């Protein structure tokens, strides 16, 4: 993150961001960022909005709670308040999520500077910020996709197997609770070709909006990557990915807490029996 883009925050924060960038850059991870489709305006150097955004970056760099890979943040007050969310893939560890968040916000500031509403997706996490409240909002834009240039040898069979897999995963993810809406699995279109897929919504969405977001994402496959052997469909509220090689580790998924015991009160005891006397 160059000083010409945003001023240096705290020295400890800068070290964290630099370390994350060096660690992941060596692997050349996927990264993409987009400005909001509608013009949300820009902020200027040394503005109050920039100061609040710096606060968001500092918060992301110093996360202590894992919160199952999802964070809802804000800084400042209106009209320069900054709202942000960060989402990590459901099969990643707390350390992997923190590293990905730091890397992604660093690249976002470098590659998509000055916008008041920006979304960035990287190898296994997403970070977005805006000058409006984005919590629990179903947003379709900005969005993008990236695909494997190799085509399936039998696209009709491949697409049918993929569609069935994604439909099942969408149903599973959308019925997840308020802590995590993530599902991943694999299938095969023939004995030689495995398909691995994962879908995820930000868990602040309700079931209906998560399902809508993933359905929209699946509908984009025909425009972006039908018949391809791999693809990512990236939206602000949900993400979808499939490959012919495994890219997730379900054994690493952190278990969700057990539901609280039922608070239904026990039925009252039956009234004591009474003897009736007939006559007198």
């Amino acid at each position: 993150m160059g000083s010409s883009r945003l001023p240096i925050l705290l020295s400890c924060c800068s070290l964290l961001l630099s370390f994350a960038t060096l660690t992941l850059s060596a692997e050349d991870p996927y990264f993409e960022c987009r400005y909001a489709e509608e013009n949300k305006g820009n902020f200027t150097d040394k503005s109050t909005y920039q100061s609040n955004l710096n606060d968001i970056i500092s918060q992301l760099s110093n996360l202590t709670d894992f919160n199952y890979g999802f964070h809802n943040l804000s800084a400042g007050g209106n009209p320069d308040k900054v709202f942000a969310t960060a989402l990590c893939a459901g099969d990643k560890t707390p350390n992997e999520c923190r590293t990905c968040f730091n890397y992604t916000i660093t690249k976002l500031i470098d590659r998509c500077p000055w916008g008041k509403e920006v979304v960035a997706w990287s190898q296994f996490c997403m970070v977005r910020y805006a000058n409006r409240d984005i919590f629990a909002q179903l947003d379709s834009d900005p969005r993008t996709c990236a695909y494997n240039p190799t085509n399936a040898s039998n696209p009709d069979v491949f697409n049918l197997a993929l569609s069935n897999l994604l439909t099942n995963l969408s149903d599973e993810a959308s019925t997840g609770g308020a802590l995590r809406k993530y599902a991943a699995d694999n299938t095969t279109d023939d004995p030689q070709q495995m398909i691995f897929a994962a879908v995820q919504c930000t868990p602040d969405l309700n079931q209906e909006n998560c399902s809508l977001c993933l359905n929209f994402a699946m509908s984009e496959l025909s425009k972006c990557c039908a018949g391809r052997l791999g693809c990512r469909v990236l939206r602000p509220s949900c993400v979808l990915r499939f490959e012919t090689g495994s890219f997730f580790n379900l054994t690493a998924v952190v278990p969700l807490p057990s539901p609280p015991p039922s608070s239904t009160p026990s039925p009252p005891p039956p009234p004591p029996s009474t003897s009736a006397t007939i006559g007198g």
Side-chain angles (χ1 to χ4, degrees):
M1 181 172 62
S3 59
S4 61
R5 298 293 172 89
L6 282 178
I8 300 299
L9 300 171
L10 303 173
S11 58
C12 62
C13 177
S14 299
L15 287 172
L16 278 169
L17 295 177
S18 299
F19 176 76
T21 303
L22 291 172
T23 301
L24 289 178
S25 292
E27 302 173 4
D28 191 24
Y30 177 86
F31 177 85
E32 188 70 51
C33 64
R34 289 283 187 273
Y35 295 102
E37 294 293 318
E38 298 179 5
N39 184 9
K40 302 293 183 179
N42 297 324
F43 63 89
T44 57
D45 191 21
K46 298 182 175 61
S47 64
T48 302
Y49 193 89
Q50 185 186 62
S51 176
N52 292 334
L53 180 56
N54 285 345
D55 190 355
I56 293 291
I57 297 172
S58 180
Q59 290 181 52
L60 273 176
S61 301
N62 292 282
L63 292 172
T64 55
D65 294 332
F66 174 48
N67 203 36
Y68 300 95
F70 179 70
H71 300 272
N72 177 44
L73 310 170
S74 64
N78 293 325
D80 295 300
K81 188 171 184 176
V82 180
F83 301 85
T85 59
L87 177 70
C88 187
D91 64 325
K92 301 306 174 186
T93 66
N95 283 338
E96 287 174 321
C97 290
R98 281 189 288 267
T99 300
C100 190
F101 291 151
N102 288 331
Y103 168 80
T104 305
I105 192 66
T106 304
K107 294 285 286 185
L108 184 159
I109 296 303
D110 181 63
R111 296 266 294 273
C112 292
W114 309 120
K116 284 192 173 182
E117 182 167 342
V118 185
V119 186
W121 305 267
S122 61
Q123 192 72 357
F124 47 79
C125 70
M126 170 175 66
V127 174
R128 62 185 298 215
Y129 69 83
N131 59 345
R132 61 184 177 89
D133 193 353
I134 53 179
F135 185 77
Q137 300 298 313
L138 173 59
D139 288 318
S140 298
D141 293 306
R143 62 185 186 270
T144 188
C145 70
Y147 59 85
N148 184 324
T150 305
N151 289 315
S153 58
N154 191 336
D156 290 338
V157 174
F158 184 91
N159 289 339
L160 178 60
L162 175 63
S163 177
N164 291 336
L165 175 60
L166 291 176
T167 298
N168 291 336
L169 293 179
S170 176
D171 291 342
E172 180 182 345
S174 63
T175 55
L179 295 178
R180 184 168 60 214
K181 286 182 168 64
Y182 171 83
D185 206 347
N186 64 78
T187 189
T188 179
D189 68 347
D190 62 51
Q192 284 75 42
Q193 186 65 76
M194 294 292 294
I195 307 173
F196 298 82
V199 302
Q200 187 170 16
C201 295
T202 57
D204 54 329
L205 293 184
N206 60 29
Q207 179 179 343
E208 179 183 4
N209 283 339
C210 177
S211 182
L212 279 173
C213 190
L214 291 173
N215 285 339
F216 288 144
M218 286 187 286
S219 70
E220 290 179 359
L221 292 177
S222 60
K223 307 171 189 175
C224 175
C225 39
R228 305 286 186 173
L229 290 183
C231 185
R232 303 170 192 246
V233 177
L234 307 169
R235 287 171 162 257
S237 298
C238 66
V239 292
L240 174 159
R241 181 183 178 186
F242 71 86
E243 308 284 353
T244 53
S246 180
F247 59 90
F248 50 79
N249 179 13
L250 293 183
T251 62
V253 174
V254 177
L256 295 174
S258 301
S262 174
S263 59
T264 304
S266 301
S273 59
T274 58
S275 300
T277 302
I278 301 177

